[in-house]
Amino acid sequence: MTNVKINSVAKNYGQVSVLSDITTQFPEGSFTSLLGPSGSGKTTLLRIVAGFVTPDSGTVSIGSRNVTNVPVWARNIGMVFQSYALFPHMTVRENVAFGLARRGIKGAEARSQIDRALEMVRLPGFGDRKPKQLSGGQQQRVALARALVIQPSVLLLDEPLSALDRRLRQEMQVELKRIQRETGLTTVFVTHDQEEALALSDQVAILDRGQIVQMGVPTDIYEKPKTRFAAEFLGDTNFLTGTVSARIVTLSDGTAIRLADAEVAPSDGQSVTLAVRPEKIRIVEGVADAEPGLNRLQARVTAVIYAGAALTYVLTASDGTPFKIFAQNTTGTIIPEGAQVTLTWEPKHTILLQDQA
Amino acid sequence: MPADIPVASTGTPSGVPARRGIPGSVATIALLLPSYAWLLLAVFLPLCTMFVFSFMNATPMGKTPIVFTLKHYQAFYTQPYLVKIAWDSLLMGFWATLSCAILGFFAALALARATTGRVRETLLILILLPFWTNGLVRVFSWTMVLREGGFLDMLLHSVLPDAGSIGFLYTRPAIVLGLVHGYLPYMILTCYIALVTIDDSILEAAESLGARWWTILGKILVPLALPGLTTGAVLTFVPVIGAFMEPRILGGRVGVTMGTVIEDQFTQAFNWPLGAALSFTMLAVVLAIFATFSGVLRRNSGAAA
C-alpha cells in the first residue's frame, strides 16, 4: 500500500510523442482513473508504471522505491488486462497460485491464500475449472484474484471491463470498488468509459495527446471542466462564445449571460467560451421571463428525441449556436419541433473555460 | 489500446440475403469428398495392396506360384541383425526429432515473438525456401560440406591452418544433420502456428506476477506450444525413421537403416513381400510409440488440470 509518483515522464515512438513531460501522483489507497480517447497515452502511462514500457526520460516511484529501471517481474505489481490474460492451460487455482509460487509460497499457506482470494472475488468452488469453462465476468474475477493474491504494492487495471457486456460491467464496477476499498490498494485504472471513471474513482485524470489536461475528484472534473476538450470528453456540453464586460458575457445576438460568482472574471473585452451542461438547463415553451438571477436564452426546437422517461431537445440558440438539453418527462407534454422556447439556468452552472475562444 | 471487443461471428450479416439451397452438411461433404476420395485411392489402396503382398511368399510378378505365408513377419526373429538396425533407426529418428524440436521451437519463438510484419514474412519464406530445390541436391550438397577437405574443413583451416579435419561425412551425426536439415521446416511451422496464437498479455501477466524468462518459457510457452511440438514431432519422426536417401548419401557404410533395408528389398533384392512386412512391422512399432506417448501426454495435461 503505497503511493505512485510520476516525475517528468516522457515517451516517444520515433517522431511521435506519446507522453510529454507528465508529472503526477496517485496517493496511497486512492483509486485513480486515466481517462482519454484512443491515442491519448493513457495506456502507455499505465504500462510505464507497470514497467512494460521504459520512459525516455523521467522517473517512476512506487512508495519510496524508484522503480524506473526495475524490471516488471521485480516491481510487485498486480495487473489486470482487458483480455483477461488467464493462462489457458492452467486451472483457476493454478492461475492464482502462479504468482505465489514465484514468491516461494507453496503448500498449505498458498492454499489458504488462494481460497481467500477466490472468496474475495466471489468465486469459491471454481478452483478446479479451466478458464475456458468460465464466463467473461468470471474470468475477469479470476484475473483480479490472481493479481490480488500476491499482495501487490499497486493494482493496475488496463480497461478490465471493456470486454464485458453492459449489465455485467456495472456489476463488476461495484465489485471492483468494494474490493479496492477492502484491500486499500493504490489503484490505477485505464478506461475510455467516462461513466465508469466517474463512478469508480477518487480522482480522474483526463489525458489528451500525451498530456494530463485535468485531474481532480469526479465532481470537479464534471462540474468544473477547465478546457473545451475536458468538457466535451466527459459528458455532453453546450458551448457559447461571447465577450466579457463586468462579469457579463454578451453573445453575438446581444444576450447577456452572467458568470458564476465563484468564477474569477477575465479582463473586460476578452472573448471567452462558456460551457453549460444539458441537464442543468430548464426549458419553457414560448418567450418567458426568467426568475431574477437566472441566465436566460431564447432558442428554437429543431428536433425532439423521445426516450420515454427522458427527452432530449436539440435546439438552435438565438445567437445561432447548436444547443442540446435533457428534460425529465414529468408533465407528459412534449414541446413540438419548430417551437420558440426559453432556456434558463443558474449562473453557478455557467462554466468559464480556460482555452481561448 | 483499441477496444477490441470479441464478437461472435454470425452466419449471415444482417442485410445480406441468406444463402439459399444447399444445407451446410451437404456443402461440407461436397467440399471434403474430392480430397478424401483421392486419399483413399492414393494412400489406402496401395497400402492395402502392400499389406496383402506382405503375406506372399514371393513378389507376384515372377513365375513362382504364390502361396500365402507369415514367414516375412518372422524376419526380426530369424535375422536378428534387423533388430539392431531397427533400434539404430529409431535412435536416429529420436535424435533428429529432438534436434528439430529444440531448434524449431526457438526459431518459431523468435519468429512469432520478436519479429513483425514484413520481416516475419520474409523469414517465413526463407524457411520454406529449401523446399523449392530438389531434396537429392540438398543432401548431396552436404557431402561437399562434410567430406574431408570439404567446405567445413576449408572454413576451419582459414582460421586454424594446422588443425586436422573435422569433416564427419559417413557418420551417424552426418545422417542426423541431413535429416534435421530436411525436416526442420515442418517443426518450425507447426510450432510457429501454436506460438503465434499466444496473446502477448498472457506473457505480460506472467511477468507482472514475478516470472523470469525461464519460468515463462517452461510454464507458459512450452505447455501452450505442446500441440505444435507434438504435431511437428510426428511429422518428423515418421518420415525420418523410414528415410533412405540421407542415410545412403551421408551415412556411407554406417548408413544402413530400416529405410535402406526396406528400399533394398524393393529395388535390389526384388523381395517385395519382405519389404512390405518390414514396413508394416515398423509401422506397428511407430504406432506403439505414439500410443505410449499420447498416453503420457494426456496424463500430464490431466495432472495439470
Side-chain angles (χ1 to χ4, degrees), chain A residues 43 47 52 72-73 77 79 81-83 85-91 94 98-99 102-103 130 146 150 159 162 192, chain B residues 1-6 199 201-212 215 219-220 223-224 301 303-305:
Chain A
T43 300
R47 292 173 67 80
F52 293 120
V72 178
W73 56 266
I77 48 162
M79 183 127 178
F81 298 82
Q82 183 183 352
S83 58
L86 295 177
F87 308 131
H89 57 302
M90 298 184 191
T91 62
E94 286 168 339
F98 189 87
R102 308 282 79 75
R103 284 156 180 76
K130 286 278 182 81
R146 184 178 67 175
I150 60 170
E159 307 211 22
S162 309
H192 61 263
Chain B
M1 295 269 134
D4 289 344
I5 296 157
D199 190 352
S201 63
I202 285 177
L203 308 181
E204 288 180 348
E207 202 183 353
S208 77
L209 292 165
R212 309 291 298 276
T215 312
K219 301 240 174 208
I220 312 284
L224 287 178
S301 60

Side-chain angles (χ1 to χ4, degrees), chain B residues 231-252:
Chain B
T231 311
V234 173
L235 284 178
T236 310
F237 189 70
V238 174
V240 156
I241 57 166
F244 54 86
M245 195 168 69
E246 289 88 351
R248 268 202 209 293
I249 298 168
L250 301 173

Side-chain angles (χ1 to χ4, degrees), chain A residues 4-54:
Chain A
V4 176
K5 276 196 205 112
I6 290 155
N7 193 17
S8 316
V9 160
K11 180 72 192 173
N12 302 300
Y13 286 119
Q15 296 291 318
V16 185
S17 166
V18 183
L19 289 177
S20 43
D21 197 33
I22 296 229
T23 299
T24 188
Q25 213 195 106
F26 310 133
E28 180 171 334
S30 69
F31 193 118
T32 307
S33 288
L34 304 180
L35 183 64
S38 303
S40 60
K42 56 187 193 300
T43 300
T44 305
L45 184 57
L46 187 84
R47 292 173 67 80
I48 283 175
V49 176
F52 293 120
V53 175
T54 311

Side-chain angles (χ1 to χ4, degrees), chain B residues 266-284:
Chain B
F266 283 96
T267 60
Q268 309 289 319
F270 209 61
N271 191 351
W272 288 19
L274 178 59
L278 290 174
S279 298
F280 279 102
T281 311
M282 282 311 273
L283 180 65

Side-chain angles (χ1 to χ4, degrees), chain B residues 121-203:
Chain B
E121 276 168 37
T122 314
L123 289 173
L124 272 173
I125 288 172
L126 285 177
I127 285 168
L128 294 173
L129 211 56
F131 287 134
W132 296 3
T133 55
N134 184 292
L136 192 65
V137 172
R138 280 187 282 141
V139 177
F140 260 116
S141 65
W142 275 112
T143 63
M144 300 296 117
V145 175
L146 298 179
R147 73 188 160 88
E148 217 167 297
F151 188 66
L152 191 65
D153 278 354
M154 274 165 60
L155 217 66
L156 175 75
H157 293 153
S158 69
V159 185
L160 297 167
D162 300 329
S165 170
I166 53 161
F168 56 97
L169 188 61
Y170 306 134
T171 62
R172 289 239 162 75
I175 304 175
V176 171
L177 182 77
L179 291 168
V180 168
H181 166 110
Y183 293 96
L184 187 58
Y186 296 108
M187 187 66 87
I188 295 179
L189 289 179
T190 54
C191 285
Y192 173 78
I193 290 163
L195 286 169
V196 85
T197 57
I198 300 174
D199 190 352
D200 280 339
S201 63
I202 285 177
L203 308 181

Side-chain angles (χ1 to χ4, degrees), chain A residues 2 48-52 60-79 98-99 102-103 150-154 156, chain B residues 203-216:
Chain A
T2 27
I48 283 175
V49 176
F52 293 120
V60 178
S61 305
I62 297 176
S64 53
R65 184 171 168 224
N66 181 347
V67 296
T68 316
N69 296 311
V70 174
V72 178
W73 56 266
R75 286 196 185 191
N76 196 36
I77 48 162
M79 183 127 178
F98 189 87
R102 308 282 79 75
R103 284 156 180 76
I150 60 170
Q151 299 175 335
S153 323
V154 52
L156 305 174
Chain B
L203 308 181
E204 288 180 348
E207 202 183 353
S208 77
L209 292 165
R212 309 291 298 276
W213 66 264
W214 56 83
T215 312
I216 293 176

